[in-house]
Amino acid sequence: MSGRLTPGRIAVLLGLLAAGVLTGGAGWLVVDLWFPGGLVVGLAALFGLFLGGRIAVGTGIGVGMGVIGWFLAYVLLSVPRPEGDFLLSSAGIGMYAYLLGGAVLAVMCATMRPAAQRPVSAARPGR
């Protein structure tokens, strides 16, 4: 896709934002209820979302929209309810691993080079 904001590109970006919210909410439930296998499933879903966003948009902004949705769901689900309890446990090694692993995957997908680019070489061309 080109760098211009077209209606189709805006729709893709909003779809990635919504997919990020859904993936974040589902990942939160899976990690908390089925640790440690749920952590693997949750991180695999995040990787698919971030990589799919990168491929669909062609730039890191596709990853960014998925990350915003994922992090929004993560924060909203970790806020205590008015009764003083949480929807699910917000502390523990699994949730911290999910947060850190998701951040690492987001950076990894956002900084990828497109496959069409050739590797950078210090050698001068033609010599």
Side-chain angles (χ1 to χ4, degrees), residues 23-35 38 77 87-88 95 98:
T23 305
W28 177 281
L29 293 170
V30 169
V31 169
D32 195 41
L33 296 176
W34 296 320
F35 186 78
L77 289 173
L87 178 65
L88 294 170
M95 296 316 293
Y98 181 59

Side-chain angles (χ1 to χ4, degrees), residues 69-98:
W70 163 66
F71 195 70
L72 182 66
Y74 188 93
V75 169
L76 290 177
L77 289 173
S78 66
V79 173
R81 296 183 353 182
E83 296 86 17
D85 57 351
F86 295 96
L87 178 65
L88 294 170
S89 68
S90 62
I93 190 77
M95 296 316 293
Y96 291 123
Y98 181 59

Side-chain angles (χ1 to χ4, degrees), residues 5-51:
L5 279 178
T6 62
R9 187 177 180 116
I10 292 171
V12 169
L13 293 174
L14 291 176
L16 286 169
L17 181 69
V21 170
L22 293 174
T23 305
W28 177 281
L29 293 170
V30 169
V31 169
D32 195 41
L33 296 176
W34 296 320
F35 186 78
L39 178 62
V40 174
V41 171
L43 289 176
L46 286 178
F47 181 67
L49 170 69
F50 299 155
L51 185 61

